[in-house]
Amino acid sequence: MSEVSKLLLITFSMIFTENYVLVQFLGICPFLGVSKEFDSCLGMSGAVIFVMTLASAVTWLVYTFLMVPLGLEYMSTIIFILVIAALVQFVEIVLKKFIRPLYESLGVYLPLITTNCAVLAVTLLNIEEHYNFIESVVDGLTAGIGFGLALILFCGVRKALERAKPPKPFEGLPITLVAAALTSMTFMGFVGIADRLFG
Amino acid sequence: MNPVLIAVIVLGAVALVCGLLLVMASHFMAVPVDEKFLALREVLPGANCGGCGYPGCDGYAKALADGREEKTNKCSAGGNEVAEKLAAACGKSFEEAEKRVAFVQCRGEIGLTEKKDEYQGTKSCQAARLLFGGDGACQYGCLGYGDCAAICPQGAISLIKGVARVNPERCIACGQCLGACPQRIIALIPFNAPVKVACSNKEKGAVARKKCSGACIGCSLCARNCPAEAIQVEGNLARVNYERCEGCGACQGACPQKCIL
């Protein structure tokens, strides 16, 4: 498989077939928490894309040049959490200083996803799949886009839910979870397409 | 070397490097923050209600710090206490904050008025009003689907007998319900307002009375009995001028409909 088609496969599967939220059920907490308003959806998606891409790059470098030579592969989870948390804090400071508008639009959401499980999963799966540097970065970027897509789609579903009148025991979170399950089922339809397209 | 020792050392080293990096970053790239802004922001209650006319407490504090805003008594949520502290922080003389409260100008409870048709659509006043001006017999009154209650950040509005009622103890006078009500029957009145007209119907007396037995019929008895000339009847509806009202309560006694509370 050529490099380009492999990148395309990663892109397609991360956004559709292997979507972190709707297929792998990671990062459900921000998915339910921030999907009420469209504006906060956009902010959160932006922050997730940003952090996932950066974290993929940095953790790949840390893993390859620090952990493999020292034989510490089994420590990846704890070291990645540490590195990602520090990275997000660092990026926040840099943004605050140099790119004020970006800081103000992402600011609230950055600390929220410091140690989010979806972000950690991206970096760990990069290692598990033996991706090279470019592939890891693309994987992080597209996983973030997939997260954003799920968030924005679900925001629309929730807007419709607000006008619906479910039975009393289903009001609030229960009906939201049912709706999330239905949204996730639509994404199950993509399974199998990716391999045929790019395989 | 012991593998456990290596793991501990590496993890410690990574943590140390990250920590040092963050310390240096926060030291060298610190953004100077306006001290005055911080002090003002500290005083404000943080309700972010927008009652002052700025987007949240941050906005008001910023405007005060920059000198764009002169008045220190705009925070309706904080009242006098906050106004005093803001004035002290800005070096201005203290002006009393006018404590206000939202009031629903309708008393068309079930029993006093009726529904003219049965509405089964979305439970929203905005939607109900689109259909022939709402389902109430009185087209001016409270529709009772609670758009105001839904937007109230303090949970101060509840629906009692089909009419929205404001809990004055909780209301912070942010004014969001005023915009949310499609009938535009909620007003901000002084917190200690002695009298208030609980009706918004502008139809002629006989018509209004037929639709709601608690309606203002525009008879002007209140205006004639008011010693301070604080009540005016415009478009068959009495309205109190609170700058003049002395709170004698003569209007309440005079009102044949008992719609002055």
Side-chain angles (χ1 to χ4, degrees):
Chain A
M1 199 192 292
S2 74
E3 186 62 15
V4 175
S5 69
K6 193 165 182 197
L7 289 181
L8 279 175
L9 176 62
I10 291 175
T11 305
F12 190 84
S13 58
M14 273 303 143
I15 297 180
F16 296 109
T17 50
E18 301 283 320
N19 188 303
Y20 268 102
V21 178
L22 293 175
V23 180
Q24 307 200 38
F25 308 122
L26 290 163
I28 295 294
C29 170
F31 177 63
L32 293 176
V34 236
S35 55
K36 273 184 200 150
E37 294 295 331
F38 186 68
D39 286 346
S40 52
C41 274
L42 284 185
M44 188 69 183
S45 309
V48 168
I49 293 173
F50 195 69
V51 170
M52 276 186 175
T53 315
L54 270 181
S56 298
V58 173
T59 53
W60 191 88
L61 292 175
V62 168
Y63 184 84
T64 318
F65 296 114
L66 182 71
M67 291 156 72
V68 174
L70 290 170
L72 288 175
E73 289 90 344
Y74 62 92
M75 297 271 286
S76 51
T77 307
I78 187 163
I79 291 188
F80 282 4
I81 289 182
L82 190 65
V83 170
I84 295 170
L87 174 77
V88 173
Q89 293 290 315
F90 182 71
V91 166
E92 205 183 341
I93 296 171
V94 173
L95 285 184
K96 200 172 182 179
K97 176 77 179 174
F98 296 109
I99 323 176
R100 194 74 194 194
L102 191 63
Y103 172 76
E104 271 164 16
S105 55
L106 298 184
V108 201
Y109 304 103
L110 276 178
L112 275 180
I113 45 168
T114 326
T115 47
N116 186 276
C117 66
V119 178
L120 185 63
V122 172
T123 59
L124 287 174
L125 291 179
N126 281 340
I127 303 302
E128 205 170 279
E129 299 274 340
H130 301 293
Y131 285 154
N132 65 27
F133 184 69
I134 303 283
E135 287 164 357
S136 297
V137 173
V138 170
D139 188 65
L141 175 71
T142 51
I145 294 174
F147 182 92
L149 177 73
L151 204 59
I152 287 164
L153 281 180
F154 194 58
C155 177
V157 174
R158 278 189 97 151
K159 288 274 172 224
L161 269 184
E162 274 175 18
R163 291 191 292 273
K165 202 176 181 310
K168 199 85 186 164
F170 280 95
E171 266 174 23
L173 201 55
I175 195 71
T176 312
L177 286 171
V178 171
L182 291 174
T183 318
S184 133
M185 275 166 72
T186 60
F187 269 67
M188 298 290 179
F190 291 113
V191 174
I193 294 181
D195 293 338
R196 297 262 178 123
L197 268 180
F198 307 105
Chain B
M1 207 162 144
N2 191 339
V4 177
L5 206 59
I6 296 181
V8 170
I9 291 172
V10 171
L11 190 60
V14 170
L16 193 68
V17 170
C18 290
L20 282 178
L21 203 67
L22 285 180
V23 169
M24 290 207 297
S26 63
H27 188 261
F28 289 114
M29 293 193 267
V31 181
V33 188
D34 192 349
E35 292 290 327
K36 196 174 173 192
F37 165 77
L38 281 183
L40 291 169
R41 180 64 190 76
E42 192 70 21
V43 172
L44 290 169
N48 288 323
C49 64
C52 52
Y54 288 95
C57 296
D58 279 355
Y60 185 38
K62 209 168 200 171
L64 279 171
D66 296 349
R68 278 182 286 136
E69 175 60 59
E70 294 286 318
K71 288 200 176 288
T72 53
N73 60 353
K74 282 201 163 180
C75 179
S76 52
N80 276 341
E81 201 182 318
V82 167
E84 206 169 337
K85 284 185 192 157
L86 284 181
C90 290
K92 291 199 177 96
S93 59
F94 163 63
E95 280 176 74
E96 199 167 294
E98 192 193 357
K99 192 167 187 210
R100 293 190 298 173
V101 70
F103 173 68
V104 183
Q105 296 165 323
C106 174
R107 62 186 284 245
E109 295 165 356
I110 296 161
L112 290 178
T113 183
E114 285 172 353
K115 296 280 179 197
K116 74 173 186 291
D117 48 34
E118 197 181 325
Y119 174 74
Q120 291 192 331
T122 305
K123 297 286 179 220
S124 146
C125 309
Q126 202 96 42
R129 190 174 185 270
L130 290 175
L131 205 66
F132 307 110
D135 56 353
C138 166
Q139 84 231 41
Y140 294 93
C142 176
L143 294 165
Y145 292 110
D147 283 11
C148 51
I151 206 166
C152 179
Q154 295 299 103
I157 305 184
S158 46
L159 296 168
I160 297 166
K161 292 188 197 163
V163 176
R165 283 281 170 258
V166 181
N167 178 351
E169 297 304 318
R170 283 195 171 183
C171 176
I172 57 173
C174 64
Q176 291 187 43
C177 49
L178 273 67
C181 176
Q183 303 284 67
R184 298 285 184 270
I185 57 169
I186 308 182
L188 284 177
I189 61 169
F191 185 77
N192 295 320
V195 296
K196 40 209 177 216
V197 182
C199 182
S200 300
N201 191 307
K202 289 187 174 169
E203 285 164 305
K204 286 213 170 88
V207 183
R209 180 157 39 194
K210 202 175 265 179
K211 289 179 174 171
C212 173
S213 49
C216 171
I217 51 175
C219 64
S220 299
L221 272 177
C222 50
R224 264 182 270 150
N225 278 287
C226 180
E229 294 182 355
I231 302 188
Q232 281 186 331
V233 177
E234 270 172 40
N236 300 311
L237 185 59
R239 280 291 172 253
V240 184
N241 179 351
Y242 288 108
E243 281 172 16
R244 285 191 171 180
C245 175
E246 290 164 350
C248 64
C251 48
Q252 285 170 323
C255 180
Q257 292 292 90
K258 300 281 171 263
C259 70
I260 302 185
L261 303 177

